[in-house]
Amino acid sequence: MYVSGVSMHQPHISHYVRIHEGRVLSDGRLFYEAQTAGLPEFLQGLYRHLGMPYPKFFKMDALCKASLLATEILLRQSGRTELPENTSVILSNASSSLDTDLRHQASIAGEGNFFPSPSVFVYTLPNITVGEICIKYGLKGENGFYVFPRFNAGFLATYIGGLFEDGKTELCIGGWVEVFENTADILLFLTEAKEKGIPFEPEELNKIFAPNETTWKSRN
């Protein structure tokens, strides 16, 4: 459990977004759902649903697209039109950028079929996802991308909690952004030093990672 340091209040999760099996939950309530055969179509449908005017979106790989869309929903739910520059972004997943790495590898695998694409290669690092979020929202706080075999609530609570304790951030966008082989499994949450919200503890993170619509409602 995080113990408050220089912050006035212990950090709490004010909002969260869950993307799982073709459904998007915002603070536990259904935000968007689409019956589609592929992740690209799902992400494009969500982009259109948001009415998000950001042409750079179409150049991104699936990991960046899914993470950026989840961030946009998260911030709209918060009602914020802009964020403090020292907002942190701490993300994690299990497959790193492997989904894009495999696409790049396929483009250079054969001597007779050697067509590497710079637009694909640029996304063969997972921290590019963090960079795209920071560019879109003008963020200059602490950022990082970490790879674990599974969702690691303990690490996120400790690391992000430490940023608040050390006075390095006012706000943090954190979570799990797993995209691989046509599937997306995402939890993004907004952590703030405030009295209200979901306590920022590993047990609570594990609860909201469970893809259901009752978790948030039971707390309001």
Side-chain angles (χ1 to χ4, degrees):
M1 178 177 177
Y2 167 76
V3 178
S4 180
V6 298
S7 299
M8 183 178 297
H9 302 296
Q10 177 178 337
H12 281 70
I13 295 171
S14 56
H15 300 282
Y16 73 91
V17 174
R18 188 76 170 91
I19 300 177
H20 183 74
E21 295 183 349
R23 306 172 78 224
V24 181
L25 304 181
S26 178
D27 289 347
R29 299 176 175 87
L30 185 63
F31 178 84
Y32 178 80
E33 184 173 20
Q35 299 299 325
T36 177
L39 182 61
E41 293 79 12
F42 172 79
L43 295 177
Q44 288 182 27
L46 180 55
Y47 174 85
R48 290 192 296 270
H49 181 75
L50 286 167
M52 183 179 171
Y54 197 61
K56 190 179 180 183
F57 170 85
F58 296 99
K59 299 179 181 180
M60 298 177 182
D61 71 344
L63 177 61
C64 286
K65 287 179 178 178
S67 302
L68 194 71
L69 291 172
T71 302
E72 179 71 13
I73 297 168
L74 187 70
L75 300 184
R76 289 190 186 187
Q77 186 70 5
S78 75
R80 293 175 177 271
T81 56
E82 58 182 54
L83 298 173
E85 282 192 351
N86 70 343
T87 298
S88 299
V89 182
I90 306 297
L91 303 181
S92 58
N93 74 6
S95 63
S96 185
S97 58
L98 184 58
D99 193 63
T100 299
D101 296 346
L102 292 174
R103 289 176 56 206
H104 174 67
Q105 177 61 33
S107 72
I108 63 173
E111 293 183 6
N113 190 32
F114 188 83
F115 295 108
S117 169
S119 63
V120 173
F121 178 73
V122 73
Y123 290 105
T124 54
L125 285 173
N127 60 306
I128 299 300
T129 302
V130 174
E132 292 286 14
I133 292 172
C134 291
I135 290 169
K136 172 69 169 66
Y137 300 101
L139 309 181
K140 299 179 181 178
E142 181 100 3
N143 63 75
F145 199 111
Y146 301 89
V147 179
F148 298 98
R150 62 190 62 83
F151 180 66
N152 192 327
F155 170 83
L156 292 171
T158 300
Y159 191 105
I160 295 172
L163 297 179
F164 283 94
E165 187 172 15
D166 294 340
K168 293 182 177 180
T169 192
E170 297 176 53
L171 221 65
C172 183
I173 298 168
W176 179 261
V177 288
E178 175 67 9
V179 173
F180 186 62
E181 292 186 339
N182 209 40
T183 62
D185 188 17
I186 291 177
L187 169 66
L188 281 191
F189 49 82
L190 190 66
T191 307
E192 306 181 54
K194 57 190 300 184
E195 293 178 309
K196 297 181 179 180
I198 299 174
F200 191 57
E201 300 172 353
E203 295 82 2
E204 299 297 330
L205 287 174
N206 282 323
K207 287 178 183 178
I208 63 173
F209 186 68
N212 62 72
E213 295 183 45
T214 61
T215 306
W216 179 267
K217 292 178 182 179
S218 66
R219 290 165 170 73
N220 288 274

